[in-house]
Amino acid sequence: MSAFPPGMNRPRRRPRPTGMSRRDVLQAIGVGGLWVAGGSLLAACGTEGTRDQQDDTTAEDQSESDPRVIWSNWTQYIDVDDAGNNPTIDAFTEETGIEVEYIEDINDNNEFFGKIRPQLSNNQSIDRDLIVLTDWMAGRLINLGWVQELDKGNIPNAKNLLPALQDVPFDAGRTHSLPWQSGFAGIGANADALAELGINDPSSLTIDQLLTDERLAGRVTVLTEMPDSMGLILLDMGADIANFTDEEFDAAIEKLQAANDAGQIRRFTGNDYTQDLLSGNVAACFAWSGDVIQLQFEDEAIQYVTPAAGQALWSDNLMIPNLAAHKTNAERLIDYYYRPEVAAEVAAWVNYICPVQGAQEAMAAIDESLVDNPLIFPDEATLAKSFVFKYMEDEERSGYEDAFAAVYS
């Protein structure tokens, strides 16, 4: 297994709200996550065609005559100041004269796919110049021919992309996408709540313990995103999550089902586990690294644990949809966010893995405490325990999603 596939003023952090944010899941079905997850919802949408079946995918570029760009992103996924403004966006506009209409309307990969599918499948504009989707969904849109090839001449800072992310299975050579942020799925722990249960060393927690230790009964949550949760269980059971068998997956499902039937699992969640983890209602959970780092600013008892068996890795990706009216402006915006000092400011706010080389050094001028944080700037030891979920075609992916959803739906 391999870890990856072949100064500015620091914004004030704020507690992540209980409402929708980057990794929320709205429906009780496993969706989202990692490089190549998916779900039966997509299978139900039918077949949309492939890239070579699309008509002309470009529109007349209005970037020069209409200096703006329309950007859809996940909520709580960019720097915000005390006044509710986005400092990096404001600085971009001041420098270039390009206005950015920033829309936080992506709550879930499948939900957003449902919104844009009618237009894109009929070769119509979605009135967006830039969108951000998780690896598996990014790959789906690329395969369908619904996003445009990037003009790297307008994105010279693309050279700053971390080498390990420069070539991925769903977008060979990064011709149609560039990462916005990445993250880990591992264990979130409340050290105080665990101590009350007689568990005094959170760093020793294992996925098996979360699913079987009777002291944790009813105090554990599991993520609804199949590749994140099943990836962690498969790793704990000794499987290669880049190349596991149906038999290994079935065994992992049986283990999860047994834990759920026994009352070990409090509930399956999006990132709304955070408040329960803070309050101690949940003592340990399947968690996302960025969420846990945010929570640590509220309570130092909250810890992120990389399981000894390994953790899962995913990325969200910037892409330009077909018929975008301001393609050049979108590429200039991507280029801006690939400046190390700008990427560092965003990383200081969102606390996920920064994909830009040089941002770690730039972070020193923003927050020295984050410079050596391996959950934002992973070191070799962290990467050695980080693995990606295998690539799957729709039919195979749907089967795994259905089996996972059946555990708790």
Side-chain angles (χ1 to χ4, degrees), residues 92-392:
F92 173 77
T93 298
E94 182 176 356
E95 175 184 320
T96 65
I98 300 171
E99 295 288 337
V100 179
E101 184 177 349
Y102 185 73
I103 307 172
E104 295 181 318
D105 63 343
I106 304 178
N107 294 314
D108 168 80
N109 284 288
N110 277 329
E111 181 193 57
F112 191 72
F113 180 90
K115 289 181 180 179
I116 64 178
R117 176 179 177 267
Q119 291 87 356
L120 290 176
S121 64
N122 287 293
N123 205 39
Q124 299 172 354
S125 171
I126 62 169
D127 297 320
R128 299 290 189 275
D129 302 303
L130 198 61
I131 58 178
V132 180
L133 294 171
T134 309
D135 299 310
W136 66 272
M137 181 61 81
R140 184 175 180 85
L141 265 64
I142 291 169
N143 185 57
L144 289 169
W146 290 358
V147 294
Q148 300 184 58
E149 184 171 349
L150 299 173
D151 182 349
K152 295 294 182 63
N154 293 326
I155 316 174
N157 285 322
K159 68 180 187 297
N160 294 328
L161 175 61
L162 292 173
L165 295 174
Q166 289 176 2
D167 191 32
V168 290
F170 65 87
D171 185 19
R174 286 290 183 184
T175 57
H176 290 73
S177 69
L178 284 169
W180 170 244
Q181 306 290 312
S182 301
F184 296 123
I187 296 174
N190 184 318
D192 292 341
L194 288 169
E196 293 173 0
L197 300 175
I199 301 172
N200 297 312
D201 182 13
S203 66
S204 67
L205 286 171
T206 65
I207 295 298
D208 177 75
Q209 187 174 4
L210 266 62
L211 297 179
T212 62
D213 191 329
E214 293 181 356
R215 293 173 294 178
L216 291 171
R219 305 285 293 276
V220 172
T221 57
V222 175
L223 297 168
T224 52
E225 296 207 10
M226 183 274 289
D228 300 47
S229 291
M230 293 307 296
L232 289 171
I233 297 171
L234 284 162
L235 284 168
D236 188 79
M237 296 177 72
D240 178 353
I241 65 172
N243 189 32
F244 56 85
T245 65
D246 288 347
E247 290 74 19
E248 288 172 323
F249 187 86
D250 289 344
I253 284 289
E254 289 178 7
K255 185 165 189 172
L256 181 62
Q257 184 71 66
N260 197 38
D261 291 345
Q264 190 74 9
I265 300 170
R266 183 183 184 89
R267 61 192 181 101
F268 289 74
T269 75
N271 72 346
D272 49 334
Y273 64 84
T274 55
Q275 294 306 308
D276 274 338
L277 186 60
L278 270 177
S279 69
N281 290 331
V282 166
C285 58
F286 290 43
W288 289 300
S289 56
D291 288 340
V292 176
I293 297 173
Q294 288 275 350
L295 293 178
Q296 289 173 336
F297 287 93
E298 298 182 61
D299 187 344
E300 61 183 14
I302 305 301
Q303 298 181 25
Y304 179 84
V305 179
T306 299
Q311 62 191 350
L313 172 67
W314 49 266
S315 292
D316 291 323
N317 303 275
L318 295 154
M319 298 184 296
I320 299 175
N322 288 353
L323 300 175
H326 310 91
K327 183 174 185 288
T328 298
N329 288 344
E331 289 164 343
R332 292 183 65 183
L333 184 62
I334 295 172
D335 185 66
Y336 168 78
Y337 277 102
Y338 264 71
R339 295 180 187 175
E341 66 275 13
V342 178
E345 185 171 359
V346 174
W349 177 265
V350 303
N351 300 148
Y352 281 103
I353 300 170
C354 181
V356 178
Q357 293 185 90
Q360 184 171 18
E361 292 76 11
M363 184 65 80
I366 300 173
D367 186 342
E368 291 187 355
S369 71
L370 298 179
V371 171
D372 296 319
N373 190 320
L375 301 182
I376 300 176
F377 304 108
D379 53 24
E380 289 302 317
T382 301
L383 296 180
K385 292 185 176 182
S386 306
F387 307 96
V388 299
F389 208 75
K390 75 173 180 177
Y391 185 84
M392 295 181 289

